[in-house]
Amino acid sequence: NAGVTQTPKFRVLKTGQSMTLLCAQDMNHEYMYWYRQDPGMGLRLIHYSVGEGTTAKGEVPDGYNVSRLKKQNFLLGLESAAPSQTSVYFCASSDRGQTYEQYFGPGTRLTVT
Amino acid sequence: GEDVEQSLFLSVREGDSSVINCTYTDSSSTYLYWYKQEPGAGLQLLTYIFSNMDMKQDQRLTVLLNKKDKHLSLRIADTQTGDSAIYFCAESMGGGKLIFGQGTELSVKP
């Protein structure tokens, strides 16, 4: 049981390039989330999904797109990377239970030059 | 809008108690959480408290909730060097969403 996995672990992009971050979970969770973590700002929700085929905007969605074609995968896309998107990105998943405990992946460190 | 505030740093000596504080704004939150992040890793749930409780104890951890003041605290008894990490407070927003505080970096000195 791997839990939540993220690929890649590290990436360096040039301004204007595009990339996709992949998140996979093997816990059959309904809900999945993408956060970014910046120093002194905690975690901010980018997009989330409450089930296969659904996505919704979070607190900081601009410049990102997501897709949830399969229940176990949640993809985060950057179409035209900007230096302001340099951050650590975390994926999480949770079940539709009472406490909605979120399980986190190990993170992807992205640098945009 | 909804907001969760924490102080950024706390330094304690090994064996002392640590108290990490948090204030939140949404009085309708059903659950409040404490997550721990070790260096280079994702967050892990430490404990949570239901909004109709005042206190929850779990081994060395004690969570206190003051709903009137919208104040949450996490006390770690007999703090060890292995407790050095960033601790995040979070409140539930409904629909599975959480709002996180900025995180408190706990440094434990031998």
Side-chain angles (χ1 to χ4, degrees):
Chain A
N1 195 342
V4 179
T5 57
Q6 293 182 233
T7 51
K9 288 188 168 43
F10 303 94
R11 185 75 186 267
V12 178
L13 286 180
K14 292 190 189 311
T15 298
Q17 287 184 319
S18 63
M19 79 163 293
T20 301
L21 281 68
L22 171 64
C23 176
Q25 53 96 2
D26 61 2
M27 296 173 283
N28 202 35
H29 284 168
E30 291 289 337
Y31 291 67
M32 295 187 75
Y33 315 83
W34 275 108
Y35 295 92
R36 59 177 290 172
Q37 182 179 24
D38 301 292
M41 300 190 74
L43 272 76
R44 292 181 292 168
L45 183 64
I46 304 171
H47 286 281
Y48 65 102
S49 167
V50 299
E52 182 180 318
T54 74
T55 62
K57 293 180 181 179
E59 186 185 350
V60 288
D62 294 342
Y64 305 94
N65 56 72
V66 287
S67 65
R68 183 104 182 265
L69 298 179
K70 292 183 179 180
K71 187 176 183 180
Q72 63 267 34
N73 295 338
F74 195 29
L75 278 62
L76 178 72
L78 286 73
E79 288 185 347
S80 179
S84 61
Q85 294 178 303
T86 293
S87 188
V88 181
Y89 292 86
F90 287 100
C91 176
S93 70
S94 70
D95 207 351
R96 201 203 303 269
Q98 231 181 350
T99 62
Y100 290 106
E101 175 183 350
Q102 292 190 13
Y103 293 79
F104 282 79
T108 295
R109 184 173 294 274
L110 175 66
T111 301
V112 183
T113 61
Chain B
E2 299 83 8
D3 201 11
V4 178
E5 296 282 338
Q6 299 177 240
S7 54
L8 295 183
F9 300 101
L10 176 65
S11 180
V12 301
R13 291 242 172 247
E14 194 172 20
D16 288 349
S17 290
S18 307
V19 179
I20 302 171
N21 295 300
C22 168
T23 57
Y24 61 97
T25 55
D26 189 350
S27 58
S28 66
S29 293
T30 309
Y31 289 93
L32 293 128
Y33 308 81
W34 284 103
Y35 279 82
K36 177 182 180 182
Q37 183 183 31
E38 295 187 351
L43 280 69
Q44 280 190 300
L45 181 67
L46 263 185
T47 187
Y48 64 88
I49 187 166
F50 189 48
S51 58
N52 69 353
M53 298 169 65
D54 297 325
M55 186 180 89
K56 181 179 180 182
Q57 190 143 2
D58 185 359
Q59 299 183 333
R60 292 190 297 122
L61 305 178
T62 303
V63 178
L64 296 178
L65 175 59
N66 181 330
K67 284 195 74 174
K68 175 174 166 289
D69 295 337
K70 295 179 189 167
H71 183 265
L72 183 73
S73 68
L74 173 71
R75 179 176 179 269
I76 305 172
D78 187 26
T79 313
Q80 302 297 307
T81 54
D83 294 322
S84 293
I86 303 176
Y87 291 81
F88 290 91
C89 165
E91 61 172 337
S92 60
M93 301 307 302
K97 291 189 293 180
L98 301 180
I99 298 289
F100 287 87
Q102 306 95 314
T104 299
E105 183 174 347
L106 174 64
S107 173
V108 183
K109 300 192 184 317

